[in-house]
Amino acid sequence: MSGLFISFEGGDGAGKTTQLAHLAEWVAQATGREVVRTFEPGGTELGRTLRQVLLHGSDIDARTEALLFAADRAHHVASLVRPALERGAVVLTDRYLDSSVAYQGGGRELSAEQVEELSLFATDHLLPDVTVLLDLDPAHLPQRLTHDPDRLERAGGEFHTRTRQAFLDRAAQDPQRWLVLDASRSVEELAAATRARVAPLLGISPEAGRHAESAPERTRGTTTRGEGDR
Ligand code: TYD
């Protein structure tokens, strides 16, 4: 596969979507490559139904929840992510399989190994080239949320502390893939650190295309999926 696959991970309200938009804008301008923005759960039509059940449905037991996230991911990879990578696109996803290991493995206290195995089955072992973790103390969650909390966001302080720790543990195991950033830093500092990590993989300088940068709302050559679709 000739594309580049980058995931953004972190707790709710850590600023992943903003950072993803900045990176998408910059990659498109600096390289002219096709950039595909997507997200989990719900980056596909089937996924939107699963997302509704997962985030806004009635109570679901932990194993069912893990299987539904894995089903969303399997379809997302098969129908959208893998074809885009095969076309040579740069694919940026707001959450991917590490969210399952952290939330269902850590937060819900299923076995992290089993949840990872399930996700690797779902994706046929497709892992991101880079994963950016926006690490935020869950104590900051209430100030950052701008919408009514969903089923996962309502899960409680200890759940979110376990989830955060699971992300950090996982990142420490594979520093080659992970870039861990303190999400309380400024948007521009975080964007610059992300560009610095990704630029060598694109064969460009982190400063490439910077003079032309504008607001990350609309980007030529960028397939925008995200906010409006959720
Ligand atoms: P979303 O509104 O996309 O949250 P955010 O803006 O924080 O990314 O909701 C996704 C929720 O689903 C979020 O609380 C994390 C959770 N989640 C899991 O528990 N497991 C998973 O595998 C994924 C992808 C998300």
Side-chain angles (χ1 to χ4, degrees), residues 74-162:
H75 186 64
H76 185 215
V77 167
S79 65
L80 193 152
V81 176
R82 211 179 273 280
L85 292 172
E86 281 166 358
R87 288 197 304 274
V90 177
V91 179
L92 309 180
T93 184
D94 192 334
R95 297 194 182 281
Y96 189 57
L97 99 188
D98 300 295
S99 275
S100 279
V101 180
Y103 280 80
Q104 282 63 57
R108 297 280 189 231
E109 300 183 276
L110 294 172
S111 139
E113 289 72 25
Q114 285 180 351
V115 174
E116 178 173 23
E117 235 173 79
L118 177 65
S119 264
L120 288 173
F121 168 76
T123 64
D124 197 11
H125 291 81
L126 179 68
L127 281 172
D129 298 293
V130 176
T131 296
V132 180
L133 174 60
L134 291 164
D135 176 50
L136 185 70
D137 184 336
H140 295 145
L141 178 62
Q143 293 92 60
R144 287 236 180 176
L145 280 184
T146 53
H147 55 264
D148 288 343
D150 61 43
R151 219 170 48 73
L152 277 299
E153 287 160 349
R154 286 196 303 268
E158 284 177 19
F159 172 93
H160 289 286
T161 302
R162 285 194 300 275

Side-chain angles (χ1 to χ4, degrees), residues 18-19 22 185-192:
T18 303
Q19 287 304 321
H22 276 275
R185 289 165 66 192
S186 75
V187 168
E188 185 42 47
E189 280 177 320
L190 294 168

